[in-house]
Amino acid sequence: MLSTVNLTQRYGKRVLFDKISMTLDVGKRYGFIGANGAGKSTFMKILAGELEQSDGEVQLQSGLKLGMLSQNQYAFEEFTLSDAVLYGNKKLFDAQKEKEKLYMEGDFEDDAVNNRLGELEMICADEDPTYESDVKIEKLLQSLGFPSTQHSELMSSLTGGDKFKILLAQVLFLKPDVLLLDEPTNNLDMATISWLENELKRHEGTLMVISHDRHFLNGVVTHILDLDFQNIREFKGSYDEWYIAANLIAKQAETDRAKGLKEKEELEGFIRRFSANASKAKQATSRQKQLDKLDVQAIQLSSRRDPSIMFKAHREIGNEVLEIENLSKSYDGNVVFENFNLKVTPEDKIALIGTNGVGKTTLLKLMMDEIQADTGTIKWGQTITYSYFPQNTTDKVVGDEILAQWIQGFDPKWHIDDIRKTLGRMLFSGEEQKKKIDACSGGEKHRVMMSKMMMDDANFLVMDEPNNHLDLEAIVAVGEALHNYKGGVICVSHDRELIDAFANRIIQINEDGTIIDFKGDYESFVEQQKKKKLC
């Protein structure tokens, strides 16, 4: 199907991967994992022919189509939405457009024109034998949230997130034999991610997907490819199965080094910890069964380290936490909220969900006094101190200070040694802590902000998409930290595993402005909504 032979990529002295020889088989769906910066996207671009490798070769079986999700959101600004999707099959796109032009401008008395039209009809018949390309494009766009009235609009009219959805529709329309997807769930809401899962599970060829969405990987993949130590190792099973097995190996090695530890207790403790991340007894039972049948010999020690995230509350929350009354907010005449009401109780850990654009980030900014409401009041309790993780962290974490100095700027009383320890928890080593803030990547800035939040010792956390830019291990750590946190939480996220980890109250903002306020975990919320649809 698709193979690599001694594939190597190096940049100067740095080697991303070395002499990778592997075959991606038909019918298998691979989750491609590895630490940020390990080279996953580079490897995928080499497979797609978008990058030149240092050594080795890529071999694609003759006659097969390979499609990769494009990351250039602005490549089709003058295309209509429908044409941008059609462009996924460029051969069909070119034939259809040339055919349309000839019918509009061609001289039908000219044999050359008629012969060319015949050739184009053959190409269209080969690429679209059922002549249903228009119907397929319409269904794809509607599934991604674009009504038929919008399909003739230009790509330039869309936001960046919606442009990315069109690129996803583009590669799915091609129906390639080998499908390569790099972070396909970015900018997708939960309903669309669920739709995409079902689409990919029906893919009949070969799939390789890079994702930081654990629930998505578990729902889609049949195998894990782990890029570590400049090598790629294959494991049969879901991400959770790989994660348990990888940590099992690490703990066994730790037990060998420290004979005083009881191996059984350590392993059982790990299962309890990991299962608590989902807060489901039945999942704990399921994962224990998975552990019993794992082929741990297929896993080796990893070079990756999990961050150690711990949010502490400096004081207990009083009875009055947060009350929002008759909140209204509009932008340029477009109503975001109208008479919105919310009362938060001391035990609440809230997941704020809804499709993109319904106002989740706006609500958090109103709560944080970053923007002003048109009408209504937002009242925090007198005992509350909050810490805020904004969606645009990369724009907020700026400056020419080194990491610890930037954090200390929020409170000069914070001891520099405590700040350094907190940065160490977020995997910044001694030398890395000397890095300047403006030299940090998006993922590094996220980890700096998480370090700052740990220093805050606030008793209420307000978080807007904290999983963005974080790798899978860090997202798991965030979920565990929120689960163990003794304070209150309001968190916006599309990551279902993260929500499962901490939330005991779900607030969904609907596109029509209505609110669903559910007391319970996310799984119970989903079940309730399914029952309502059946009624």
Side-chain angles (χ1 to χ4, degrees):
M1 179 60 77
L2 178 66
S3 301
T4 65
V5 180
N6 293 326
L7 198 64
T8 300
Q9 186 70 4
R10 64 178 73 89
Y11 293 102
K13 293 182 178 180
R14 186 188 178 204
V15 178
L16 289 181
F17 39 85
D18 186 41
K19 295 182 180 179
I20 305 295
S21 295
M22 59 182 295
T23 298
L24 302 180
D25 296 323
V26 64
K28 292 182 180 179
R29 302 188 297 271
Y30 300 92
F32 193 21
I33 66 172
N36 286 342
K40 302 185 296 297
S41 294
T42 299
F43 188 84
M44 189 173 278
K45 287 177 181 177
I46 290 173
L47 293 183
E50 294 183 3
L51 274 181
E52 187 71 25
Q53 62 269 29
S54 301
D55 290 302
E57 59 181 306
V58 177
Q59 299 173 344
L60 178 65
Q61 187 176 325
S62 178
L64 297 185
K65 292 180 182 177
L66 183 147
M68 180 172 174
L69 175 62
S70 172
Q71 302 294 321
N72 187 353
Q73 299 175 359
Y74 300 97
F76 302 93
E77 293 293 271
E78 299 307 312
F79 283 61
T80 66
L81 272 58
S82 293
D83 280 351
V85 177
L86 178 63
Y87 193 85
N89 186 334
K90 192 169 185 304
K91 194 172 182 181
L92 178 62
F93 176 89
D94 289 342
Q96 283 195 10
K97 294 305 171 185
E98 185 180 349
K99 189 172 66 170
E100 289 171 8
K101 186 176 182 180
L102 285 175
Y103 276 123
M104 290 287 292
E105 304 172 2
D107 179 3
F108 296 107
E109 300 297 324
D110 187 338
D111 287 344
V113 170
N114 291 312
N115 289 338
R116 182 55 181 162
L117 281 171
E119 293 170 357
L120 294 171
E121 286 289 355
M122 291 295 293
I123 294 172
C124 290
D126 287 341
E127 296 299 317
D128 182 25
T130 60
Y131 290 91
E132 292 182 331
S133 60
D134 290 345
V135 175
K136 292 175 181 176
I137 290 171
E138 185 174 4
K139 287 182 177 178
L140 270 173
L141 288 172
Q142 288 177 342
S143 296
L144 287 166
F146 300 100
S148 55
T149 54
Q150 199 175 356
H151 297 178
S152 297
E153 295 181 5
L154 294 180
M155 286 283 286
S156 58
S157 68
L158 300 181
T159 63
D162 281 346
K163 286 181 172 71
F164 185 82
K165 290 182 181 180
I166 300 299
L167 298 181
L168 180 58
Q170 187 182 80
V171 73
L172 293 176
F173 172 72
L174 177 62
K175 285 192 173 296
D177 301 289
V178 179
L179 178 57
L180 307 177
L181 301 176
D182 190 352
E183 295 290 355
T185 60
N186 282 354
N187 303 299
L188 301 185
D189 56 55
M190 289 178 173
T192 310
I193 293 172
S194 180
W195 168 83
L196 179 60
E197 281 182 18
N198 291 328
E199 287 290 303
L200 296 181
K201 282 190 279 193
R202 291 198 294 266
H203 182 71
E204 296 178 353
T206 302
L207 170 68
M208 176 190 276
V209 58
I210 299 170
S211 178
H212 290 161
D213 186 327
R214 194 175 116 211
H215 191 286
F216 175 76
L217 285 179
N218 285 331
V220 170
V221 307
T222 60
H223 294 71
I224 294 294
L225 298 175
D226 180 21
L227 176 55
D228 202 2
F229 295 113
Q230 302 172 355
N231 191 21
I232 295 178
R233 296 175 295 221
E234 182 177 337
F235 176 79
K236 183 178 180 180
S238 67
Y239 175 80
D240 275 1
E241 291 170 327
W242 170 87
Y243 186 81
I244 292 174
N247 279 271
L248 172 61
I249 292 295
K251 288 186 179 295
Q252 285 177 332
E254 184 180 323
T255 301
D256 290 341
R257 289 192 298 269
K259 296 297 184 182
L261 294 175
K262 295 182 180 179
E263 181 178 355
K264 187 172 184 295
E265 286 183 9
E266 286 293 304
L267 299 182
E268 288 177 350
F270 169 72
I271 292 296
R272 284 195 301 272
R273 179 180 68 83
F274 188 70
S275 299
N277 186 43
S279 305
K280 303 289 185 298
K282 65 180 181 182
Q283 289 186 4
T285 302
S286 171
R287 285 172 178 151
Q288 181 63 60
K289 290 179 180 177
Q290 292 170 1
L291 178 62
D292 292 340
K293 66 180 182 181
L294 284 176
D295 178 15
V296 294
Q297 299 303 318
I299 300 292
Q300 299 177 32
L301 276 174
S302 172
S303 65
R304 295 194 291 279
R305 296 176 296 148
D306 291 356
S308 177
I309 302 174
M310 183 184 298
F311 299 117
K312 295 180 291 183
H314 74 292
R315 63 177 294 181
E316 289 187 7
I317 292 179
N319 292 328
E320 294 182 357
V321 180
L322 172 65
E323 188 164 4
I324 299 174
E325 292 184 325
N326 300 320
L327 191 71
S328 298
K329 180 66 180 177
S330 299
Y331 290 109
D332 300 324
N334 297 316
V335 176
V336 182
F337 294 107
E338 190 167 21
N339 297 323
F340 176 83
N341 295 282
L342 172 66
K343 186 171 184 177
V344 179
T345 61
E347 67 276 6
D348 282 341
K349 291 184 178 180
I350 298 171
L352 186 62
I353 65 174
T355 58
N356 293 329
V358 296
K360 302 184 298 296
T361 293
T362 297
L363 179 59
L364 297 195
K365 287 182 175 181
L366 288 165
M367 290 165 50
M368 295 295 99
D369 206 27
E370 287 200 348
I371 56 176
Q372 298 302 308
D374 299 332
T375 61
T377 59
I378 299 173
K379 183 181 178 182
W380 289 94
Q382 290 186 349
T383 64
I384 301 301
T385 57
Y386 52 73
S387 184
Y388 179 40
F389 191 102
Q391 188 181 77
N392 59 336
T393 301
T394 52
D395 297 330
K396 298 282 187 180
V397 183
V398 293
D400 60 0
E401 309 104 313
I402 63 172
L403 308 188
Q405 290 172 342
W406 183 85
I407 293 176
Q408 196 175 41
F410 289 89
D411 190 340
K413 295 178 182 177
W414 288 343
H415 198 284
I416 198 73
D417 287 343
D418 293 331
I419 296 174
R420 287 170 180 155
K421 288 176 184 177
T422 304
L423 286 166
R425 284 179 171 273
M426 292 308 301
L427 307 183
F428 288 104
S429 66
E431 285 301 313
E432 288 172 330
Q433 291 190 16
K434 297 177 183 177
K435 195 172 188 177
K436 290 191 174 182
I437 286 291
D438 283 344
C440 290
S441 67
E444 287 171 332
K445 287 185 175 184
H446 256 54
R447 289 190 281 131
V448 170
M449 181 61 82
M450 205 70 71
S451 300
K452 182 264 179 187
M453 290 186 74
M454 284 191 276
M455 289 298 301
D456 281 332
D457 286 347
N459 59 12
F460 200 97
L461 304 180
V462 180
M463 310 182 85
D464 194 352
E465 297 283 4
N467 47 290
N468 286 350
H469 297 291
L470 297 181
D471 58 26
L472 280 156
E473 290 78 17
I475 295 171
V476 170
V478 171
E480 291 180 358
L482 294 179
H483 175 77
N484 294 325
Y485 178 55
K486 302 304 180 185
V489 177
I490 292 181
C491 178
V492 172
S493 180
H494 295 306
D495 190 302
R496 290 158 292 179
E497 291 282 355
L498 177 58
I499 291 172
D500 262 336
F502 76 91
N504 58 22
R505 183 177 177 185
I506 310 297
I507 295 178
Q508 177 172 296
I509 304 176
N510 298 320
E511 291 184 359
D512 61 2
T514 59
I515 306 294
I516 299 174
D517 190 347
F518 179 81
K519 299 289 183 69
D521 59 38
Y522 182 70
E523 186 174 312
S524 301
F525 169 76
V526 171
E527 288 300 316
Q528 183 209 56
Q529 296 307 302
K530 285 180 180 177
K531 289 177 182 177
K532 283 186 176 180
K533 288 181 180 179
L534 293 173
C535 293

